[in-house]
């Protein structure tokens, strides 16, 4: 074979090899492009302007990216399909595939629901409650409540260990328990029972209805969740006293729920993505919260002239005493009792480790920013 023919042979082999590879590529591509995209309709309990809607979107985005686009969540705000407090029923009925909400919004069906978000504080925070849900038996107790006791066609997970929620907004700065007696106060979940036990008259309202109710005099004071949501609602335009620190809702988290039939129909890897995207969103939500909550709190002080104070210790002590009164009669219910006992056993062990081990962050802050803290 001549040198010229050798070159031609090599060139031909290269061409055929390349063509084969190209052919393999063209055969593989249709399989990817034909991969079915599953779309889930999710509605939140939050107005479109609330940062909570952004946090719900963080979850939806992670689901889409982790699934390579095979699973998409069509996220809608409160009221787009059903009312903010009705998302659980809509998921049960199949009107919604999924919802982004909090369990306190359906505590009227069973007060044990509030133990998964707005229950008594046993010395641990929201992150440690999520840890209890994942590793301390909380998921199993939640499933028993939702699926066995209430008979709901729903599965759920938790995400975003919320920072302590402020005691809220007041027309006059409360300095003692006497200052809050008789006030018409907005809250939700077992926090309603707690504040009633402390002498307040409680109204439960969705977030988007709070400021209008304050303007009309329907309520005298309210809490929602955080400085960013409160500022976006325009709380600073109707009242100027903002009390931080409270035991009424100090360990809440988002509840991500799905119609069980719809969830079970998905392939196992897509179910896993929905489950573990909640853990990813937990971190993303917290980062977004720390950035925004701190900036908006400062803006409330500097730009809106809000009087930001720490809730008096006497009121917080009264909250702990009130929790004891609220819990006692509810412990007659077997499931409620078992959930509380499970949380207390977890709190005794985990709280001991955490509190014994934690650095004194307040002392460190005072060291570097002396005089800024006012308590």
């Amino acid at each position: 074979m001549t040198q010229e023919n050798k070159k031609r042979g090599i060139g031909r082999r290269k061409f055929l090899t390349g063509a084969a590879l190209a052919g393999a590529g063209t055969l593989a591509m249709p399989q990817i492009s034909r991969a079915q995209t599953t779309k889930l309709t999710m509605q939140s309990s939050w107005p479109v302007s609330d940062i909570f809607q952004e946090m719900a979107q963080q979850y939806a985005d992670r689901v889409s990216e982790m699934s390579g686009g095979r699973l998409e969540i069509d996220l809608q705000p409160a009221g787009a399909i059903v009312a903010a407090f009705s998302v659980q029923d809509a998921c049960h009925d199949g009107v919604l595939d999924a919802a982004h909400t909090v369990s306190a919004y359906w505590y009227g069906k069973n007060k044990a629901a509030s133990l998964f978000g707005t229950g008594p504080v046993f010395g641990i925070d929201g992150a440690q409650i999520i840890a209890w849900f994942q590793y301390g038996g909380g998921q199993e107790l939640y499933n028993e409540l939702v699926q066995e006791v209430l008979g709901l066609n729903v599965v759920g997970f938790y995400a975003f260990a919320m920072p302590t929620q402020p005691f809220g907004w007041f027309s006059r700065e409360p300095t003692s328990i006497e200052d809050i007696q008789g006030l018409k106060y907005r809250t939700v979940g077992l926090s309603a029972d707690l504040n009633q036990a402390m002498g307040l008259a409680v109204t439960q309202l969705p977030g988007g209805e709070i400021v209008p109710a304050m303007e009309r005099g329907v309520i005298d004071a309210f809490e929602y969740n955080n400085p960013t949501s409160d500022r976006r609602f325009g709380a600073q335009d109707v009242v100027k006293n903002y009390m931080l620190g409270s035991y009424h809702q100090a360990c809440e988290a988002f509840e991500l729920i799905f119609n069980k039939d719809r969830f079970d129909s998905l392939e196992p890897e897509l179910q896993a993505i929905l489950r573990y995207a909640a853990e990813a969103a937990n971190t993303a939500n917290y980062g977004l919260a720390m950035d925004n909550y701190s900036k908006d709190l400062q803006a409330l002080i500097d730009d809106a002239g809000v009087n930001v104070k720490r809730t008096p210790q006497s009121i917080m002590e009264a909250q702990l005493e009130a929790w004891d009164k609220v819990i006692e009669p509810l412990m007659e219910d077997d499931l409620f009792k078992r959930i509380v006992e499970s949380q207390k056993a977890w709190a005794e062990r985990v709280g001991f480790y955490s509190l014994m081990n934690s650095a004194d962050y307040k002392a460190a802050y005072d060291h570097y920013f002396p005089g800024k803290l006012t308590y």
Side-chain angles (χ1 to χ4, degrees):
M1 182 180 287
T2 66
Q3 191 67 26
E4 182 67 23
N5 287 336
K6 286 183 181 179
K7 287 182 180 180
R8 286 177 181 171
I10 293 171
R12 186 170 173 226
R13 284 195 298 273
K14 286 183 177 179
F15 171 79
L16 291 173
T17 303
L21 290 173
T26 57
L27 287 173
M29 287 303 292
Q31 294 178 355
I32 296 172
S33 64
R34 285 199 302 266
Q36 185 176 358
T37 296
T38 300
K39 182 174 289 188
L40 302 178
T41 300
M42 170 184 277
Q43 186 193 294
S44 77
S45 293
W46 327 120
V48 68
S49 61
D50 193 352
I51 192 171
F52 284 179
Q53 190 70 2
E54 295 175 37
M55 292 174 174
Q57 189 63 54
Q58 286 184 313
Y59 174 75
D61 291 344
R62 278 154 181 74
V63 167
S64 178
E65 291 185 35
M66 291 166 71
S67 67
R70 288 182 60 203
L71 188 58
E72 293 183 3
I73 292 179
D74 177 21
L75 177 66
Q76 299 292 324
I81 301 171
V82 298
F85 284 2
S86 300
V87 293
Q88 187 194 62
D89 289 335
C91 282
H92 168 73
D93 293 335
V95 175
L96 294 173
D97 296 317
H100 189 277
T101 187
V102 288
S103 58
Y105 283 0
W106 52 274
Y107 104 119
K109 295 178 181 177
N110 190 305
K111 291 194 176 183
S114 198
L115 296 173
F116 294 94
T118 55
V121 180
F122 300 124
I124 57 176
D125 60 17
Q128 291 157 339
I129 281 291
I130 287 184
W132 164 78
F133 189 83
Q134 294 173 333
Y135 295 99
Q139 177 79 69
E140 291 76 15
L141 290 164
Y142 172 87
N143 292 345
E144 181 179 348
L145 170 63
V146 172
Q147 296 170 7
E148 297 178 25
V149 174
L150 296 177
L152 295 173
N153 189 35
V154 166
V155 294
F157 315 110
Y158 280 80
F160 183 37
M162 297 182 186
T164 297
Q165 297 180 34
F167 190 31
W169 296 82
F170 295 82
S171 298
R172 292 186 307 156
E173 178 189 334
T175 60
S176 67
I177 190 70
E178 289 74 25
D179 291 339
I180 61 175
Q181 298 300 296
L183 289 181
K184 292 176 289 185
Y185 178 78
R186 182 273 176 193
T187 190
V188 293
L190 275 174
S191 172
D193 300 51
L194 171 73
N195 283 283
Q196 285 173 344
M198 293 175 63
L200 290 86
V202 174
T203 297
Q204 301 198 48
L205 296 169
E209 298 178 19
I210 296 172
V211 169
M214 190 77 178
E215 291 175 326
R216 297 194 310 269
V218 176
I219 54 176
D220 304 311
F222 64 89
E223 66 80 27
Y224 178 67
N225 188 281
N226 64 80
T228 298
S229 295
D230 292 346
R231 186 182 179 215
R232 292 186 186 184
F233 286 157
Q236 67 278 8
D237 298 328
V238 294
V239 65
K240 294 293 184 182
N241 296 294
Y242 194 28
M243 310 303 295
L244 301 186
S246 180
Y247 286 122
H248 79 286
Q249 288 176 310
C251 49
E252 190 170 17
F254 288 137
E255 181 188 31
L256 291 155
I257 58 175
F258 300 86
N259 174 274
K260 189 174 187 299
D261 291 338
R262 189 76 168 106
F263 183 86
D264 290 345
S265 72
L266 298 173
E267 297 172 16
E269 61 266 31
L270 297 184
Q271 293 180 9
I273 287 170
L274 291 175
R275 181 181 296 108
Y276 296 122
E279 296 182 5
N282 184 64
T283 301
N285 289 171
Y286 187 78
L288 186 67
M290 289 298 96
D291 184 31
N292 283 268
Y293 293 5
S294 59
K295 288 189 293 190
D296 283 308
L297 179 63
Q298 204 60 50
L300 288 171
I301 297 169
D302 296 340
D303 301 338
V306 173
N307 176 38
V308 175
K309 291 291 182 68
R310 178 86 172 166
T311 300
Q313 189 65 24
S314 60
I315 292 179
M316 295 182 72
E317 290 172 358
Q319 287 177 327
L320 289 178
E321 294 173 2
W323 268 126
D324 292 339
K325 296 176 183 176
V326 167
I327 294 171
E328 185 177 0
L330 296 175
M331 294 288 277
E332 295 178 7
D333 178 82
D334 175 66
L335 180 57
F336 190 99
K337 180 179 180 181
R338 285 190 286 116
I339 295 171
V340 168
E341 288 177 345
S342 176
Q343 288 184 343
K344 288 182 75 174
W346 178 264
E348 184 176 13
R349 174 165 60 85
V350 173
F352 177 80
Y353 160 72
S354 179
L355 294 169
M356 286 292 288
N357 184 62
S358 294
D360 187 341
Y361 294 106
K362 182 176 182 293
Y365 189 93
D366 281 333
H367 177 78
Y368 288 103
F369 312 105
K372 188 162 185 178
L373 293 175
T374 57
Y375 74 99

